[in-house]
Amino acid sequence: MVNYFKERKYRVKDRDWFDPVICHFLNDVVTVNRYGFKEVYDLYLTQQFANSKNVLGEDLDLLNWHEGEKREGERVRRDRKIWLNYKNTQGVRFVLLDAYLRYGDKFVDRMREELASSKKKIVGKDLIEDIIAKVSGVPAEKYIPAAIKAQRAGLEQFRQQMNF
């Protein structure tokens, strides 16, 4: 999906940052509509806290696997805190998810309209902050920290329920 977006022409300056953000967001919208928002939480928590990055399944590492070989892989630190920050794409992902969960298609439609109607190149972060402020009625400087706090709490609660 990111490769598809890289080939599309739209007026955003920071495409290296914006393309993955918009792709994660659109994927999350589809996931929420198809399976529910807990599926997004489940995937994030599984990637962060349940799987070793070296192993592609239990006792199976296809990159360096020999039959009968026992591998432990990298230890997973389950005691880590959930860390979301608006400066990285994962943090922005959950801010956008929060806005979508609160405002639904109104938020998606506004994003589409802003991207389609832009006459000059814009900064992706500024665009997102603008849309959040317009749809929510709350300045982005207040909405973003509150959204991160709410999403972190939701992830923590889901993490405890699922024993990650």
Side-chain angles (χ1 to χ4, degrees), residues 86 124-134 138 140-141 144:
Y86 186 70
K125 285 184 181 181
D126 295 343
L127 173 71
I128 288 172
E129 291 171 7
D130 232 20
I131 294 167
I132 287 172
K134 287 176 183 173
V138 177
E141 302 83 43
I144 292 168

Side-chain angles (χ1 to χ4, degrees), residues 3 8 16 24 31 44 49 57-58 60 64 68 91 100 104 109-111 129 152 155 158:
N3 290 335
R8 304 283 85 52
D16 289 340
H24 269 298
T31 302
Y44 173 77
F49 301 105
E58 203 166 312
L60 177 64
N64 298 302
Y100 179 70
D109 291 342
R110 188 61 183 235
M111 186 172 288
E129 291 171 7
R152 188 180 301 127
L155 283 163
F158 189 75

Side-chain angles (χ1 to χ4, degrees), residues 7-20:
E7 294 174 4
R8 304 283 85 52
K9 293 184 184 199
Y10 55 97
R11 296 180 172 100
V12 174
K13 289 180 184 177
D14 50 348
R15 295 284 303 265
D16 289 340
W17 180 86
F18 188 77
D19 287 349

Side-chain angles (χ1 to χ4, degrees), residues 14-131:
D14 50 348
R15 295 284 303 265
D16 289 340
W17 180 86
F18 188 77
D19 287 349
V21 167
I22 194 71
C23 289
H24 269 298
F25 174 64
L26 293 174
N27 186 47
D28 289 346
V29 168
V30 171
T31 302
V32 167
N33 284 305
R34 181 90 172 143
Y35 303 106
F37 77 92
K38 289 185 177 183
E39 188 69 23
V40 176
Y41 282 8
D42 189 44
L43 176 62
Y44 173 77
L45 291 172
T46 300
Q47 289 171 336
Q48 296 297 316
F49 301 105
N51 292 337
S52 168
K53 291 177 178 31
N54 294 351
V55 178
L56 300 173
E58 203 166 312
D59 295 330
L60 177 64
D61 179 357
L62 295 177
L63 298 176
N64 298 302
W65 182 65
H66 300 286
E67 198 168 329
E69 183 179 15
K70 296 291 180 190
R71 290 187 171 260
E72 291 185 25
E74 180 182 319
R75 295 274 183 224
V76 178
R77 287 192 47 218
R78 295 179 189 264
D79 61 338
R80 287 188 355 229
K81 290 186 177 185
I82 293 172
W83 186 80
L84 300 176
N85 185 338
Y86 186 70
K87 293 179 182 174
N88 69 36
T89 57
Q90 283 296 332
V92 177
R93 174 187 190 182
F94 283 99
V95 170
L96 293 176
L97 177 64
D98 186 86
Y100 179 70
L101 292 174
R102 293 178 195 278
Y103 304 105
D105 289 337
K106 180 181 174 183
F107 182 70
V108 175
D109 291 342
R110 188 61 183 235
M111 186 172 288
R112 182 182 48 77
E113 289 168 9
E114 295 285 332
L115 277 170
S117 68
S118 177
K119 301 293 182 206
K120 59 181 181 172
K121 283 210 169 204
I122 50 179
V123 177
K125 285 184 181 181
D126 295 343
L127 173 71
I128 288 172
E129 291 171 7
D130 232 20
I131 294 167

